[in-house]
Amino acid sequence: MEEKKINFESYFKDYPSTDGYFGKYGGCYISEELKAPMQEITDAYFNICKSRRFISELRRIRKEFQGRPTPITHLERLSGQIGNVQIYAKREDLNHTGAHKLNHCMGEALLAKYMGKKKIIAETGAGQHGVALATAAAYFGLECDIYMGSVDIKKQAPNVARMKILGANVIEVTHGLATLKEAVDAAFEAYSKEYKDCIYCIGSVLGPHPFPMMVRDFQSVVGIEAREQFLEMTGELPDHIVACVGGGSNAAGFFSGFLKDETVNIYGIEPLGRGEKLGDHAASLKYGTEGIMHGFNSIMLKDENGDPAPVYSVASGLDYPSSGPEHAFLRDIGRVKYDVINDDETIDAFFRLSRAEGIIPAIESAHAVAYAIKLAEKLGHGSVLVNLSGRGDKDMDYVIENYGIPQK
């Protein structure tokens, strides 16, 4: 398939298809038992997504509770250290709870209230989705169960504490690698037993239809704001935009604002981790093949048996063996270039941004910052807009313990 065959003016009406496909990716591969509950969620979403009352309420929440719109910051000193390319950041770290995740969590929780559900359940890796969902549950008066791998619980202690303070039940997952993939497994299993009274609020553009579409739609506020703000700030569109990609929610929302702008180059950055060996990274779009897991068809990393492979990333929010189906589609049609950044480059960018601009990024976001720096070093001129998807408070203890604090 070639990019020129895609009409990006009507893209969001055309994709996904009515049965949840972005080309050959996506769909709804779930048990018979869950098909009716999933259809209930689909019907409810389509019923309210165009509702004036729902849209008005969500806009009010974003303005009065989340603090949106989040600003764009010109990273002037960092840019000056590199050369003549100007780097900017869309500041999702300033969204309430410190990351982009609340954008879809408030929407999903509002949907749960509309459906008359009493509980919301989810998985989390870096803990930002868990914190955001716990926040949404508290806001709407809902019960909240968060499944989290024991490895990530140790790495992300501040976010675990925040979830508990907000009233969520944090359920430790100890089987397998005890990271994000296993947390998703456990949350799906719980949902299959409790779907009458709850909905599963997936934390990214993953899972069975309608979640890849629904999460993207809720996150599209990031791209819409960013495009308008950059035009107002500079009088033109950015030459390049960059976002990190694990499951891909921040990237999907950010990219959506620029897909139809042919002059804007779009980059999605996956974690190369310790290197190219299977088990040392989580770069599914670069090294994976087509496969089905967690209810959707996409590109995934597989072991010798064809099962989801072990993955690794210094960023807990990126260590997932697949990526959202829309990202696989955008890769195939050539609209988005997906590339990789390793752990060392990420940690270097973490400290460079902190010291040049007074902004401590999430390790996930530091992957995008690292790529923006690398891109700026190659280019002679132009502009790069990075989606700074979250703040790094949650990562400081882990970074100091494992990497120390470099001398100036």
Side-chain angles (χ1 to χ4, degrees):
M1 188 182 302
E2 297 180 4
E3 181 182 344
K4 65 182 180 181
K5 295 181 181 179
I6 304 297
N7 179 6
F8 284 101
E9 292 295 331
S10 62
Y11 176 82
F12 297 105
K13 291 183 178 180
D14 299 334
Y15 298 98
S17 62
T18 54
D19 50 357
Y21 282 92
F22 300 87
K24 62 182 178 179
Y25 305 111
C28 188
Y29 298 84
I30 54 177
S31 66
E32 287 296 325
E33 182 184 25
L34 285 178
K35 286 184 178 179
M38 204 58 63
Q39 188 62 49
E40 180 190 15
I41 293 172
T42 303
D43 292 343
Y45 177 68
F46 279 118
N47 191 14
I48 66 171
C49 71
K50 303 296 184 183
S51 162
R52 179 192 64 81
R53 289 182 63 184
F54 181 84
I55 294 170
S56 177
E57 177 66 1
L58 195 55
R59 284 177 174 171
R60 184 191 66 79
I61 289 168
R62 285 172 172 169
K63 179 180 179 180
E64 298 177 8
F65 183 67
Q66 293 183 229
R68 302 203 70 88
T70 58
I72 284 178
T73 298
H74 180 200
L75 306 181
E76 190 170 359
R77 283 168 297 283
L78 181 64
S79 302
Q81 291 174 6
I82 299 167
N84 295 321
V85 174
Q86 299 305 307
I87 304 175
Y88 298 79
K90 174 60 172 167
R91 300 290 306 280
E92 287 303 286
D93 59 312
L94 297 179
N95 193 34
H96 181 45
T97 73
H100 68 288
K101 294 290 188 179
L102 196 62
N103 300 331
H104 67 256
C105 285
M106 294 304 288
E108 288 175 327
L110 185 58
L111 177 64
K113 286 289 285 188
Y114 172 84
M115 296 172 68
K117 303 296 185 181
K118 299 177 181 177
K119 180 193 285 189
I120 48 181
I121 65 174
E123 83 298 329
T124 195
Q128 287 299 147
H129 176 60
V131 169
L133 199 66
T135 300
Y139 183 91
F140 288 107
L142 298 166
E143 296 177 44
C144 182
D145 288 349
I146 303 294
Y147 291 82
M148 190 171 188
S150 57
V151 170
D152 294 333
I153 285 176
K154 292 176 183 176
K155 288 172 68 175
Q156 304 293 346
N159 274 346
V160 175
R162 292 170 76 193
M163 285 183 268
K164 291 179 177 179
I165 289 170
L166 289 162
N169 299 310
V170 180
I171 301 166
E172 184 173 5
V173 179
T174 59
H175 67 274
L177 293 178
T179 56
L180 184 56
K181 185 262 181 188
E182 288 75 24
V184 176
D185 291 340
F188 261 115
E189 183 178 354
Y191 176 60
S192 68
K193 299 173 182 177
E194 303 181 61
Y195 59 80
K196 291 183 180 180
D197 296 317
C198 74
I199 68 169
Y200 178 19
C201 297
I202 291 176
S204 194
V205 284
L206 304 168
H209 179 65
F211 284 100
M213 171 191 66
M214 191 164 67
V215 173
R216 177 202 68 187
D217 291 352
F218 287 138
Q219 287 293 344
S220 66
V221 65
V222 180
I224 292 168
E225 285 179 5
R227 190 180 188 279
E228 293 175 352
Q229 290 167 323
F230 200 90
L231 274 171
E232 182 179 359
M233 180 180 284
T234 69
E236 59 186 21
L237 292 173
D239 296 311
H240 313 274
I241 67 170
V242 184
C244 65
V245 176
S249 58
N250 91 90
F254 186 48
F255 295 168
S256 68
F258 299 90
L259 286 177
K260 67 180 180 180
D261 298 309
E262 295 181 0
T263 62
V264 178
N265 298 305
I266 304 177
Y267 302 87
I269 309 308
E270 295 188 295
L272 185 58
R274 297 179 291 242
E276 296 183 355
K277 181 181 177 182
L278 191 65
D280 282 347
H281 63 82
S284 57
L285 291 167
K286 185 171 181 66
Y287 298 106
T289 56
E290 187 175 352
I292 296 170
M293 65 179 290
H294 293 150
F296 68 104
N297 181 50
S298 188
I299 300 299
M300 60 182 278
L301 294 167
K302 301 175 184 177
D303 63 17
E304 62 276 8
N305 300 316
D307 296 321
V311 292
Y312 159 81
S313 171
V314 69
S316 296
L318 302 181
D319 58 359
Y320 187 73
S322 186
S323 188
E326 186 170 15
H327 287 296
F329 178 66
L330 291 171
R331 183 202 69 167
D332 282 7
I333 65 174
R335 181 62 187 98
V336 178
K337 178 183 178 181
Y338 293 89
D339 210 337
V340 293
I341 283 290
N342 66 33
D343 283 359
D344 290 341
E345 293 169 313
T346 297
I347 298 302
D348 179 66
F350 176 91
F351 283 109
R352 286 190 70 175
L353 181 63
S354 298
R355 292 179 172 183
E357 300 290 346
I359 300 170
I360 303 175
I363 297 179
E364 289 79 8
S365 313
H367 283 75
V369 175
Y371 194 82
I373 291 171
K374 182 179 286 190
L375 194 61
E377 289 172 343
K378 293 179 181 178
L379 300 170
H381 56 82
S383 58
V384 181
L385 176 60
V386 179
N387 193 29
L388 200 68
S389 56
R391 68 180 186 228
D393 307 42
K394 65 184 179 62
D395 297 312
M396 289 190 294
D397 290 345
Y398 176 80
V399 170
I400 292 170
E401 181 179 343
N402 290 273
Y403 295 93
I405 300 178
Q407 297 298 314
K408 293 184 179 179

